[in-house]
């Protein structure tokens, strides 16, 4: 890289252009949440913001309960998922056998059955276990349905680790745990973070099971949205406010973890 | 029973055998050097001893214990990789202290050991850098440092000094030698540098194409190579080889060897055994092909009726390319080989 | 405290009920009411799954007029025992009969609705026309043609276009009814390729193509309401419940310009106005039937109507269930649409809504389990016809085949 | 490393996933050969392959298979191609790089339902939508997206949602590209395109494979967005297989036919997966 | 005007200057060798010429054209990287043919060139392999092959032979030399191997700590080092250095130098200028510290009252560590340095 390259003006402009374009719908959602219903429909850009919609949403439903449920289920399933998926991916990436690829495919194939197709069986299972409308049920379902994806992503992240670094660490006398903790984890932080985030986002946004397996106690924000999606009349501002409240935590979290996410392997010491 | 025993060790990559049944006994505290042409399997053999490559045939014993299938983390080895294999996310200090940290060595002892090693390797100013901020030679030194801070059962070095300058190489060589004497750790060392091989080794193992050609003390290999390959591989520049069939042109040489070397055999003479005399002197006539002045030595390449001969002399020369010269040979250090390249005694 | 879990739809009246639950809880301190508020389609999925698999997640369910007879026939619902104070006879007869089985009430109506015509009096007047009290489709076609003015952002006619048995088919069924059609003949043979269907759908597609708003094939109640409130519709024929919204100045830009009349008719007035109600029911599997009953009778009582009136005003009371509500003077004062609504509801008869005799119950639906599938399939075809993807004839033909398939599958007759 | 440990590490995933797969699968298999409508749960009976017959002879079936493939293909192509492009665009430093990356990945955090509502109402609505305003600004007649281009609308929404995911994975992958190789290629006279084609793309192979596989799985089972926006219409113009199954299961409540459909979807997904594995599989090791 | 001009070239990494103003003129077709201690900036300088590192100060001209900021892809260079930088997913053949393919060279010409280069580098059996299936030396050869198939304006080699065995190194060195003569391409070559430096270079550039210490023909550097650093850096083993203050103990040496070297200066004598004689002979008395038998040569480390001296001789020795000996010096090849290390003429 030459330092005194001309200022990357074209790249800067196009990157910003595309980013703003892609972000625009969200921006629009954001500002609509602060409009009155009339302004919302008139597609105005300038208006005096109001918090009325947020107040209304909070009045109607216990936002905090849903948010808490979302937090518990998505964090829970992410953590449990990582705990199960990391060892599996580690084992497949670093001790591959002839069957590894088949196992990977099989794992993915467990996700091929459309959720709707499995609704009744799962519903009956949950009911038999007495776990309808309970957070553990959601955590289990989220974890299991994200597990294949997590194993896949982690597998691909682990595969990027150069072989001889692993060899070096084994020679240094590291146990499996130490090897993971001190070398693989820091080297694949980006991949693990993206996987965790993906799982978090998927759980947070999961609507089908969240809706169908819960009623009054265990609903998540995604199921909260279902009660706003089509009330009588198009209350766009209210809908936007509810949506914003539902996605804001995860977006903010995503923004903060951005650095970890895009961090790839840092090479340079491998000849 | 010897400390490290390799019995018919084999390695197969895909469909070709890379290590073809190596037998080797290494004593405790010995310093063994592996030499051999590029690609002959030195690294592979080292990595098999380290447990980084599976052993596809034969067995490996350490201290009488079969460790053929023991994972490398339990073999208590320290190794310098040919590719360094530094931890890219750790500083030089962390790279070097990592194994000690794992071994739960007290912090101050770690610090002492690492700083000591860094000092010996001229790395002190770089302890806070990450590998990618280092020069090639500095990286290599970190790789060495990482190995030598430890007190393993066996040291494995894979061309550890290849990227160092002559002075530093000499200095580091001395450090490794000292370390070996101080710790008495069995050491296996791969190198292409003849000086390293000659000065460090208790015994040198010459490998060729996955097989052991000869094992012996350095001078033993130099003076009594088991075959033409070893004779030519050890010594720089290589030993001159004359076909017995062409010996008639080589005067005195012919006389000395004729009755001992088979008619389809070969005669070898080291460059320092070849003296270049002004044309007309008694000797074998030839023509100067190339002159290489190395400073202390001068190498003169001479063509003797199609057979290339190299002479090495301590003096500078005034000869020029194309000059006709006479060659004289030191008849005491001739080597004879039969058709298959096996050594034939000339005594 | 005992939890009482109630599944309900997210309509305005239900939201109000949710807010007023505190009065119920105050009267019953050992009860904690928990709400599961869902959009209509999702609610139907949830409660059906739950009741059919005996999941038992809900103590009280909000169900429609369509499910009530099917479920009660199957014994999935516990009968509602009413006391004198509840005054069961006050319920509008059309609705009550739809919810009763062998004289027993299996679900209590929370609010009911029919359909009617809402129109912009100002535009009609400006066009020099008058809206008849009982307009025919011919009248309607005339009027919308005149007031259609897209340059000014006014589309003559807004009707449902989004596929779904509760969406476009609810409206289209009433239209077919008044053109003299029916879903099935007495042998359960689908009649979709018949002439009345053809006439009705052709009229519908023709009018909407000429005078409808863009994107009509994705519009349902909500979208049309928004359009109407924005002043973009000249005429809108839809649920009577809309009347209170369009005449609410807080939401509607045209609150003072809107007027109401009956839904248009063609060959027969029979079945031109639909009948729907949202009702509260107790699943037979409920573990707290008494408590659930208690809540239901509270929420559908006269007292509750009065409570709403007191808390939110008469404009917000649930309508379409009780004669007493319509008789109330205060209510009449604020609800200028009330007479038309009552008239529409009373004119609807679920058991006799088609010109030829039909074997099914329901005005804008047929209360058989197979109807959902058929309604959805046909709805899809109608929206395709509306969007111009297929011709009306093709759409009807496809629909007929789909309906026959479904009925065959349902075992109504051998092929 | 003994042979035991790798297996022990995999066991929890495999065992749980196996249970998670096998129980519903067996039940679904069972449901698929009986008559089972949620509205008439008592009236079950063995019907053989009738459910499959009904599912496959549904007039919406073949169109929905086609739509599924179109949807899958377009969204994957769009997100992978644009994703790679965007990742390259934001990979090297420029002013505001961090913010741009944040903006780029944001849409991924949006719930599918919100995504659908947002696009249907606020973006693509032919009267009030932002796009309509843009069209009007340029003096054009606003496009009636949901009616005239229903499948395309769904594709746009899904691409908008999945592009950030692809982009994120690709950015991470680009970070581990060895600079020296790029330098070497530069000296070999490689243009930007050459570098991209011969070095960057092969390097990203595994990431692309993973993105393609993951997206495939998710896109095969997309129905919420369709349900919320076009309702599968007009006609069946935006009905995909998942929506068709959804319709059978939760709108018609016919669990039998839905189960048959679900099994069919599994078969289709496996066929697609085998194809994809052929194409991208060797990048996995 | 010379072909390649470096004018006050500087490089700053973080907050330390790594290249501190290098001025260098390189003629067309010249073969320049960079030597210097590990970490002195050789690779950095090479990479700056290649355009891989920005030039933070000064300018770089090729053929009179300022290319200080020209991107490397437009500089028409071929380079062998110290770290090889092979394309991991391409076969050896593809690695080597990549540049030619990009240059749209006809397919059969590519094939010919690559096979030719592979043949010279003994790589023919490995053309279908990917880099990770190669030994270290084989990888290095691929890196060389990748550069030499091309016909660039300038060749840059960064320690290209460090991982090759002596025989192959000699052979490859000859190939590089031939190639240079055949194509006449300006070549810059970094090495730690003195033999390479001496035999290949038209001129050698000695770097130290980011600065040029001396530029000159190989023997010029050996015979007339500009300062103590160069004197000690060139030549293996290093030149022996005696402080003028201690000269009194060195007999004849003292006589020769005393009047020329300042009292705080130094005297240098190459190991081949030191002869070890049996104890009692005329000469400086000392004690054997270490003996290194290299085969052709023997290095004898002798301690002369605290000053270490190394002697290099062509004969084997029968001495043992600890033996007392006498040293004799070749008075014709002494080097004198002042306190700062600068050369002082003794003639
Ligand atoms: N990215 C970097 N950041 C900071 N310092 C660096 C960086 N790269 C190199 N250096 C330092 O610059 C100096 C010169 O490095 P360079 O690689 O040019 O050395 P070299 O002469 O090639 O050494 P060697 O013979 O060991 O390869 C070294 O001290 C090194 O530590
Ligand atoms: N993964 C592999 N797959 C196939 N062949 C391999 C693999 N690794 C090494 N080889 C081959 O095995 C042989 C021995 O390799 P090894 O690395 O042991 O050589 P070496 O003696 O260390 O050479 P060098 O001196 O060049 O480092 C070489 O010919 C090499 O090409
Ligand atoms: Mg090797
Ligand atoms: Mg270097």
């Amino acid at each position: 890289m030459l330092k005194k390259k001309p200022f990357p003006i074209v790249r800067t402009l196009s990157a910003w252009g595309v980013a703003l374009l892609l972000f625009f719908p969200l921006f629009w959602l954001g500002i609509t949440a602060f409009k009155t219903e009339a302004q919302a429909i008139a597609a105005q850009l300038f208006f005096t913001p109001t918090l009325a919609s947020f107040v209304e949403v909070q009045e109607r439903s216990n936002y905090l309960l849903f948010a808490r449920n979302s937090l518990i289920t998505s964090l829970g399933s992410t953590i449990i998922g990582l705990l199960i998926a990391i060892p599996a991916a580690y084992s497949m990436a670093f001790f591959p056998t002839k069957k590894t690829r088949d196992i990977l495919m099989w794992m993915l194939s467990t996700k091929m059955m459309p959720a709707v197709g499995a609704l009744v069986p799962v519903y009956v299972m949950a009911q038999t276990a007495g776990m309808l409308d309970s957070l553990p049920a959601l955590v289990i379902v989220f974890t299991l349905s994200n597990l294949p994806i997590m194993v896949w992503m982690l597998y691909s992240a682990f595969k990027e680790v150069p072989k001889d670094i692993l060899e070096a660490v084994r020679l240094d006398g590291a146990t499996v745990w130490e090897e993971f903790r001190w070398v693989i984890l820091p080297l694949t932080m980006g991949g693990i973070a993206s996987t965790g985030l993906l799982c978090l986002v998927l759980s947070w946004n999961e609507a089908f099971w969240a809706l169908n397996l819960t009623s009054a106690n265990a609903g998540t924000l995604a199921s909260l949205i279902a009660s706003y999606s089509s009330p009588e009349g198009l209350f766009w501002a209210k809908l936007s406010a509810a949506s914003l409240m539902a996605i804001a935590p995860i977006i903010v979290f995503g923004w903060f973890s951005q650095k970890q996410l895009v961090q790839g392997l840092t090479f340079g010491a491998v000849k | 029973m010897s400390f490290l025993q390799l019995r018919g060790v084999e390695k197969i990559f895909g469909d070709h055998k890379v290590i073809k049944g190596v037998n080797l006994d290494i004593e405790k505290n010995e310093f063994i050097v592996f030499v051999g042409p590029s690609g002959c399997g030195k690294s592979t053999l080292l990595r098999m001893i380290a447990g980084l490559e599976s052993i596809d045939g034969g067995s490996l014993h350490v201290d009488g214990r079969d460790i053929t299938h023991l994972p490398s983390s339990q073999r208590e080895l320290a190794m310098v990789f040919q590719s360094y294999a530094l931890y890219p996310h750790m500083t030089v200090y962390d790279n070097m202290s990592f194994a000690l940290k794992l071994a739960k060595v007290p912090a101050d002892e770690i610090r002492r050991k690492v700083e000591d090693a860094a000092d010996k390797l001229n790395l002190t100013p770089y302890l806070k850098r990450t590998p990618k901020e280092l020069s090639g030679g500095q990286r290599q030194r970190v790789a060495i440092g990482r190995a030598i801070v430890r007190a393993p059962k066996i040291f494995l070095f894979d061309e550890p000094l290849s990227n160092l300058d002559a002075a530093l190489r000499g200095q580091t060589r001395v450090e490794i030698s000292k370390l070996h004497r101080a710790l008495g750790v069995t050491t296996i060392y791969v190198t292409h540098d003849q000086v390293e091989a000659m000065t460090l080794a208790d015994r040198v193992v010459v490998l060729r194409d996955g097989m052991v050609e000869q094992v012996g003390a350095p001078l033993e290999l130099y003076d009594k190579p088991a075959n033409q390959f070893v004779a030519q591989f050890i010594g720089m520049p290589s030993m001159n080889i004359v076909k017995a069939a062409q010996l008639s042109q080589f005067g005195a040489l012919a006389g000395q060897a004729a009755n001992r070397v088979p008619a389809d055999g070969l005669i070898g003479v080291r460059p320092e055994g070849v003296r270049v005399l002004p044309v007309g002197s008694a000797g074998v006539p030839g023509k100067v092909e190339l002159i290489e002045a190395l400073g202390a030595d001068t190498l003169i390449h001479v063509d003797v009726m199609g057979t290339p001969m190299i002479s090495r002399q301590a003096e500078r020369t005034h000869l020029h390319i194309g000059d006709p010269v006479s060659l004289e040979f030191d008849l005491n250090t001739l080597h004879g080989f039969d058709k298959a390249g096996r050594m034939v005694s000339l005594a | 405290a005992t939890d009482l879990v109630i599944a309900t739809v997210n309509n305005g009246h239900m939201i109000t009920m949710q807010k007023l639950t505190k009065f119920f809880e105050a009267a019953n301190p050992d009860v904690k009411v928990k709400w599961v508020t869902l959009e209509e389609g999702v609610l139907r999925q949830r409660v059906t799954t739950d009741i059919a698999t005996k999941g038992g997640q809900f103590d009280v369910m909000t169900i429609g007029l369509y499910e009530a007879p099917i479920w009660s026939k199957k014994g999935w619902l516990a009968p509602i025992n009413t006391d004198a104070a509840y005054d069961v006879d006050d319920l509008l007869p059309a609705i009550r009969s739809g919810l009763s089985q062998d004289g027993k009430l299996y679900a209590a109506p929370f609010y009911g609705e029919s359909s009617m015509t809402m129109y912009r009096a100002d535009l009609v007047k400006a066009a020099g026309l008058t809206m008849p009290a009982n307009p025919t489709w011919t009248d309607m076609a005339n009027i919308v043609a005149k007031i259609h003015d897209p340059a000014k952002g006014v589309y003559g006619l807004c009707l449902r276009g989004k596929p779904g048995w509760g969406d476009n088919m609810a409206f289209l069924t009433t239209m077919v009814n008044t053109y003299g059609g029916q879903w099935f003949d007495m042998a359960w043979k689908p009649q979709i390729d018949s002439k009345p269907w053809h006439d009705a759908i052709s009229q519908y597609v023709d009018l909407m193509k000429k005078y409808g708003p863009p994107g009509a094939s994705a519009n349902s109640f909500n979208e049309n309401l928004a359009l109407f409130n924005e002043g973009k519709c000249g005429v809108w024929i839809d649920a009577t419940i809309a009347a209170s919204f369009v005449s609410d100045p807080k939401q509607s830009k045209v609150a003072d310009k809107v007027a109401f009349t009956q839904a248009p008719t063609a060959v027969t007035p029979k079945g031109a106005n639909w009948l729907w109600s949202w009702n509260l029911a107790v699943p037979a599997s409920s573990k707290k039937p008494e408590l659930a009953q208690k809540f239901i009778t509270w929420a559908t009582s006269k007292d509750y109507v009065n409570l709403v009136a007191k808390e939110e005003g008469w404009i917000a009371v649930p309508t379409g269930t009780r004669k007493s509500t319509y008789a109330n003077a205060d209510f009449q004062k604020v609800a200028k649409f009330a007479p038309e609504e009552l008239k529409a509801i009373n004119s609807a008869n679920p058991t006799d809504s088609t010109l030829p005799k039909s074997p099914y119950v329901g005005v804008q639906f047929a209360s058989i389990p197979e109807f959902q599938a058929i309604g959805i399939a046909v709805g899809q075809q109608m929206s395709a016809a509306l969007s111009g993807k297929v011709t009306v004839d093709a759409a009807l033909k496809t629909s007929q085949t789909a309906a026959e398939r479904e009925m065959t599958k349902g075992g109504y007759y051998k092929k | 490393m003994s042979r035991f440990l790798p297996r022990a590490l995999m066991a929890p995933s495999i065992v749980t996933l196996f249970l998670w797969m096998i129980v519903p699968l067996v039940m679904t298999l069972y449901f698929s050969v009986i008559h089972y409508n949620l509205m008439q749960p008592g009236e079950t009976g063995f019907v053989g392959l009738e459910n499959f017959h009904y599912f496959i002879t549904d007039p919406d079936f073949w169109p929905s298979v086609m739509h599924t493939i179109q949807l899958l293909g377009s969204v994957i192509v769009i997100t992978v191609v644009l994703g790679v492009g965007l990742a390259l665009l934001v990979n090297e430093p420029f002013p505001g790089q961090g913010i741009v990356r944040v903006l780029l990945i944001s849409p991924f955090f949006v719930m599918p339902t919100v995504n659908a509502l947002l696009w249907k109402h606020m973006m693509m609505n032919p009267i009030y939508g932002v796009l309509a305003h843009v069209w009007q600004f340029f003096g054009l007649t606003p496009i009636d997206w949901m009616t005239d281009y229903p499948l395309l609308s769904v594709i746009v929404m899904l691409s908008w949602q999945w592009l950030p995911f692809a982009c994120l994975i690709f950015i991470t992958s680009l970070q581990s590209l060895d600079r020296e190789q790029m330098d070497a290629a530069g000296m070999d006279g490689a243009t930007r395109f050459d570098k991209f084609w011969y070095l960057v793309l092969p390097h990203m192979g595994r990431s692309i494979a993973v993105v393609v596989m993951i997206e495939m799985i998710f896109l095969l089972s997309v129905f919420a967005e369709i349900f919320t926006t076009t309702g599968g219409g007009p006609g069946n113009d935006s009905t995909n297989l998942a929506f068709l199954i959804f319709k059978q299961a939760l709108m018609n409540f016919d669990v039998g036919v839905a189960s048959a459909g679900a099994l069919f979807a599994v078969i289709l997904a496996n066929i697609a997966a085998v194809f994809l594995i052929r194409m991208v599989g060797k990048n996995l090791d």
Side-chain angles (χ1 to χ4, degrees), chain B residues 129 133 135 137-138:
Chain B
R129 299 219 194 145
E133 296 166 334
S135 79
Q138 286 160 349

mmCIF file with all atom_site columns, all heavy atoms in Angstrom, chain B residues 129 133 135 137-138, ligand 1:
data_model
loop_
_atom_site.group_PDB
_atom_site.id
_atom_site.type_symbol
_atom_site.label_atom_id
_atom_site.label_alt_id
_atom_site.label_comp_id
_atom_site.label_asym_id
_atom_site.label_entity_id
_atom_site.label_seq_id
_atom_site.pdbx_PDB_ins_code
_atom_site.Cartn_x
_atom_site.Cartn_y
_atom_site.Cartn_z
_atom_site.occupancy
_atom_site.B_iso_or_equiv
_atom_site.pdbx_formal_charge
_atom_site.auth_seq_id
_atom_site.auth_comp_id
_atom_site.auth_asym_id
_atom_site.auth_atom_id
_atom_site.pdbx_PDB_model_num
ATOM   1  N N   . ARG B 1 129 ? 6.863  -6.166  20.262 1.00 0.00 ? 129 ARG B N   1
ATOM   2  C CA  . ARG B 1 129 ? 6.282  -6.164  18.916 1.00 0.00 ? 129 ARG B CA  1
ATOM   3  C C   . ARG B 1 129 ? 5.550  -7.468  18.625 1.00 0.00 ? 129 ARG B C   1
ATOM   4  O O   . ARG B 1 129 ? 5.795  -8.489  19.242 1.00 0.00 ? 129 ARG B O   1
ATOM   5  C CB  . ARG B 1 129 ? 7.393  -6.016  17.878 1.00 0.00 ? 129 ARG B CB  1
ATOM   6  C CG  . ARG B 1 129 ? 8.140  -4.725  18.032 1.00 0.00 ? 129 ARG B CG  1
ATOM   7  C CD  . ARG B 1 129 ? 8.470  -4.153  16.693 1.00 0.00 ? 129 ARG B CD  1
ATOM   8  N NE  . ARG B 1 129 ? 9.457  -3.099  16.821 1.00 0.00 ? 129 ARG B NE  1
ATOM   9  C CZ  . ARG B 1 129 ? 10.393 -2.866  15.918 1.00 0.00 ? 129 ARG B CZ  1
ATOM   10 N NH1 . ARG B 1 129 ? 10.477 -3.640  14.845 1.00 0.00 ? 129 ARG B NH1 1
ATOM   11 N NH2 . ARG B 1 129 ? 11.238 -1.883  16.077 1.00 0.00 ? 129 ARG B NH2 1
ATOM   12 N N   . GLU B 1 133 ? 5.638  -7.262  12.695 1.00 0.00 ? 133 GLU B N   1
ATOM   13 C CA  . GLU B 1 133 ? 6.466  -6.054  12.692 1.00 0.00 ? 133 GLU B CA  1
ATOM   14 C C   . GLU B 1 133 ? 7.955  -6.383  12.752 1.00 0.00 ? 133 GLU B C   1
ATOM   15 O O   . GLU B 1 133 ? 8.756  -5.532  13.124 1.00 0.00 ? 133 GLU B O   1
ATOM   16 C CB  . GLU B 1 133 ? 6.111  -5.173  13.892 1.00 0.00 ? 133 GLU B CB  1
ATOM   17 C CG  . GLU B 1 133 ? 4.691  -4.658  13.850 1.00 0.00 ? 133 GLU B CG  1
ATOM   18 C CD  . GLU B 1 133 ? 4.243  -4.073  15.185 1.00 0.00 ? 133 GLU B CD  1
ATOM   19 O OE1 . GLU B 1 133 ? 4.791  -4.496  16.212 1.00 0.00 ? 133 GLU B OE1 1
ATOM   20 O OE2 . GLU B 1 133 ? 3.372  -3.215  15.182 1.00 0.00 ? 133 GLU B OE2 1
ATOM   21 N N   . SER B 1 135 ? 11.577 -8.273  11.108 1.00 0.00 ? 135 SER B N   1
ATOM   22 C CA  . SER B 1 135 ? 12.234 -8.729  9.886  1.00 0.00 ? 135 SER B CA  1
ATOM   23 C C   . SER B 1 135 ? 12.277 -10.250 9.898  1.00 0.00 ? 135 SER B C   1
ATOM   24 O O   . SER B 1 135 ? 12.033 -10.892 10.918 1.00 0.00 ? 135 SER B O   1
ATOM   25 C CB  . SER B 1 135 ? 13.642 -8.165  9.811  1.00 0.00 ? 135 SER B CB  1
ATOM   26 O OG  . SER B 1 135 ? 14.506 -8.903  10.645 1.00 0.00 ? 135 SER B OG  1
ATOM   27 N N   . GLY B 1 137 ? 14.724 -12.358 9.793  1.00 0.00 ? 137 GLY B N   1
ATOM   28 C CA  . GLY B 1 137 ? 15.675 -12.924 10.728 1.00 0.00 ? 137 GLY B CA  1
ATOM   29 C C   . GLY B 1 137 ? 15.210 -12.786 12.165 1.00 0.00 ? 137 GLY B C   1
ATOM   30 O O   . GLY B 1 137 ? 15.430 -13.673 12.998 1.00 0.00 ? 137 GLY B O   1
ATOM   31 N N   . GLN B 1 138 ? 14.560 -11.666 12.448 1.00 0.00 ? 138 GLN B N   1
ATOM   32 C CA  . GLN B 1 138 ? 14.053 -11.472 13.806 1.00 0.00 ? 138 GLN B CA  1
ATOM   33 C C   . GLN B 1 138 ? 12.979 -12.499 14.123 1.00 0.00 ? 138 GLN B C   1
ATOM   34 O O   . GLN B 1 138 ? 12.940 -13.069 15.208 1.00 0.00 ? 138 GLN B O   1
ATOM   35 C CB  . GLN B 1 138 ? 13.514 -10.045 13.956 1.00 0.00 ? 138 GLN B CB  1
ATOM   36 C CG  . GLN B 1 138 ? 14.640 -9.014  14.032 1.00 0.00 ? 138 GLN B CG  1
ATOM   37 C CD  . GLN B 1 138 ? 14.189 -7.604  13.696 1.00 0.00 ? 138 GLN B CD  1
ATOM   38 O OE1 . GLN B 1 138 ? 13.081 -7.383  13.207 1.00 0.00 ? 138 GLN B OE1 1
ATOM   39 N NE2 . GLN B 1 138 ? 15.063 -6.638  13.938 1.00 0.00 ? 138 GLN B NE2 1
HETATM 40 N N1  . LIG F 2 .   ? 5.665  -3.411  10.093 1.00 0.00 ? 1   LIG F N1  1
HETATM 41 C C1  . LIG F 2 .   ? 6.700  -3.059  10.854 1.00 0.00 ? 1   LIG F C1  1
HETATM 42 N N2  . LIG F 2 .   ? 6.503  -2.304  11.955 1.00 0.00 ? 1   LIG F N2  1
HETATM 43 C C2  . LIG F 2 .   ? 7.529  -1.941  12.736 1.00 0.00 ? 1   LIG F C2  1
HETATM 44 N N3  . LIG F 2 .   ? 8.799  -2.277  12.513 1.00 0.00 ? 1   LIG F N3  1
HETATM 45 C C3  . LIG F 2 .   ? 9.076  -3.022  11.427 1.00 0.00 ? 1   LIG F C3  1
HETATM 46 C C4  . LIG F 2 .   ? 8.038  -3.459  10.549 1.00 0.00 ? 1   LIG F C4  1
HETATM 47 N N4  . LIG F 2 .   ? 8.604  -4.185  9.572  1.00 0.00 ? 1   LIG F N4  1
HETATM 48 C C5  . LIG F 2 .   ? 9.929  -4.217  9.830  1.00 0.00 ? 1   LIG F C5  1
HETATM 49 N N5  . LIG F 2 .   ? 10.225 -3.515  10.950 1.00 0.00 ? 1   LIG F N5  1
HETATM 50 C C6  . LIG F 2 .   ? 11.536 -3.329  11.537 1.00 0.00 ? 1   LIG F C6  1
HETATM 51 O O1  . LIG F 2 .   ? 12.360 -2.719  10.572 1.00 0.00 ? 1   LIG F O1  1
HETATM 52 C C7  . LIG F 2 .   ? 13.662 -3.211  10.644 1.00 0.00 ? 1   LIG F C7  1
HETATM 53 C C8  . LIG F 2 .   ? 14.133 -3.621  9.269  1.00 0.00 ? 1   LIG F C8  1
HETATM 54 O O2  . LIG F 2 .   ? 13.404 -4.725  8.832  1.00 0.00 ? 1   LIG F O2  1
HETATM 55 P P1  . LIG F 2 .   ? 13.789 -5.539  7.548  1.00 0.00 ? 1   LIG F P1  1
HETATM 56 O O3  . LIG F 2 .   ? 12.740 -6.579  7.347  1.00 0.00 ? 1   LIG F O3  1
HETATM 57 O O4  . LIG F 2 .   ? 14.029 -4.603  6.431  1.00 0.00 ? 1   LIG F O4  1
HETATM 58 O O5  . LIG F 2 .   ? 15.137 -6.229  7.983  1.00 0.00 ? 1   LIG F O5  1
HETATM 59 P P2  . LIG F 2 .   ? 16.100 -7.141  7.125  1.00 0.00 ? 1   LIG F P2  1
HETATM 60 O O6  . LIG F 2 .   ? 17.314 -6.387  6.913  1.00 0.00 ? 1   LIG F O6  1
HETATM 61 O O7  . LIG F 2 .   ? 15.409 -7.671  5.938  1.00 0.00 ? 1   LIG F O7  1
HETATM 62 O O8  . LIG F 2 .   ? 16.349 -8.303  8.171  1.00 0.00 ? 1   LIG F O8  1
HETATM 63 P P3  . LIG F 2 .   ? 16.468 -9.876  7.946  1.00 0.00 ? 1   LIG F P3  1
HETATM 64 O O9  . LIG F 2 .   ? 17.776 -10.158 7.449  1.00 0.00 ? 1   LIG F O9  1
HETATM 65 O O10 . LIG F 2 .   ? 16.274 -10.383 9.339  1.00 0.00 ? 1   LIG F O10 1
HETATM 66 O O11 . LIG F 2 .   ? 15.378 -10.268 7.023  1.00 0.00 ? 1   LIG F O11 1
HETATM 67 C C9  . LIG F 2 .   ? 13.672 -4.342  11.645 1.00 0.00 ? 1   LIG F C9  1
HETATM 68 O O12 . LIG F 2 .   ? 14.260 -3.921  12.825 1.00 0.00 ? 1   LIG F O12 1
HETATM 69 C C10 . LIG F 2 .   ? 12.200 -4.636  11.867 1.00 0.00 ? 1   LIG F C10 1
HETATM 70 O O13 . LIG F 2 .   ? 11.995 -4.975  13.194 1.00 0.00 ? 1   LIG F O13 1
#
